[in-house]
Amino acid sequence: MSKSDYVLQAVNLHKSFGARHVLRGVEFGLRPGELLGVLGENGAGKSTLLRILAGVLRADRGEVVHRGRLGYCPQRIVVNDELTVGQHLRYFQSAYHLEDLTVAESVAERLGLTPFRHVRAGVLSGGTRQKLNLTLALMHDPDVVLMDEPYQGFDWENYLTFWTLTDQLRAQGRSVLVISHLAHDTERFDRLLRLTRGQVEPTDAMAGAELEAAS
Ligand SMILES: Nc1ncnc2c1ncn2[C@@H]1O[C@H](COP(=O)(O)OP(=O)(O)OP(=O)(O)O)[C@@H](O)[C@H]1O
């Protein structure tokens, strides 16, 4: 596959916070229709990497090349506690310039978020807030989806629903990057990378199992 076939590429990314050199030349590409996992221990720099890929944080060096629309599901939920779920959807509809809420309503329905439409975000449970977070990341039908620990707070049923949604995105040709410190269910991914010592390297299910044991 030539480099131009990637929908997203990290090219020699470096990032430091003070003396802490978190990313030290991260290089990888995300392929069309691929479900890619990036694993790493707590503090390895996964969220830093994803924020740079999403364009909310600037790298010190290197570049991110992507095409198509990006969807970003951050680890820290960025909802407004005073707004209801429905108000969030309308707010983001306007921000994304969407004609309607067809995709949002479909995702919300799948995740069981619909009954909370008139509930303020501030009183939602952690898992339900995460459903809103995920819906906001997917409602503009992005070509490339970047997700940071996307199933945090989900019960088992919603965890499985998350994977069904992800499989559907992939079947529609979307590319999905999931980062996690947990290396379980590694067989669900098309490919797994590990972020370690500031760089990304290939891993396999066995290496993932070791990581899980260590976490
Ligand atoms: N804005 C910041 N200012 C200073 N240090 C930061 C900042 N953001 C991240 N760091 C540091 O960079 C390192 C990597 O943090 P990051 O959140 O990217 O790790 P992570 O792999 O996502 O961790 P976790 O699995 O615990 O979420 C940590 O040592 C963290 O303290």
Side-chain angles (χ1 to χ4, degrees), residues 17 20 22 40-48 51 75 149 181:
F17 296 107
R20 178 142 170 58
V22 178
E41 294 169 10
N42 291 132
K46 302 179 299 299
S47 294
T48 301
R51 293 174 69 212
Q75 184 175 26
E149 310 276 358
H181 64 282

Side-chain angles (χ1 to χ4, degrees), residues 6-10 26-39 49-50 53 144-148 150-151 162-163 166 170 174-180 185-186 188-194 200-203:
Y6 291 116
V7 289
L8 178 137
Q9 262 184 285
V26 169
E27 296 252 0
F28 71 94
L30 178 64
R31 299 164 180 155
E34 181 178 43
L35 173 54
L36 175 66
V38 176
L39 305 173
L49 172 60
L50 213 65
L53 296 178
V144 178
V145 190
L146 307 172
M147 304 200 220
D148 194 340
Y151 30 75
F162 165 81
W163 285 113
T166 307
R170 182 168 44 172
R174 309 295 185 252
S175 304
V176 182
L177 171 58
V178 173
I179 64 169
S180 180
D185 269 355
T186 49
R188 292 185 185 273
F189 294 96
D190 296 317
R191 198 160 54 102
L192 275 178
L193 302 174
R194 180 197 293 259
V200 157
E201 57 189 41
T203 185

Side-chain angles (χ1 to χ4, degrees), residues 21-84:
H21 198 169
V22 178
L23 303 182
R24 299 166 176 258
V26 169
E27 296 252 0
F28 71 94
L30 178 64
R31 299 164 180 155
E34 181 178 43
L35 173 54
L36 175 66
V38 176
L39 305 173
E41 294 169 10
N42 291 132
K46 302 179 299 299
S47 294
T48 301
L49 172 60
L50 213 65
R51 293 174 69 212
I52 291 172
L53 296 178
V56 299
L57 182 69
R58 190 187 290 267
D60 297 335
R61 188 144 53 99
E63 64 173 333
V64 178
V65 183
H66 76 88
R67 53 188 159 92
R69 278 187 296 193
L70 281 185
Y72 172 45
C73 185
Q75 184 175 26
R76 287 206 191 95
I77 297 171
V78 286
V79 298
N80 183 327
D81 285 351
E82 300 307 317
L83 299 182
T84 66

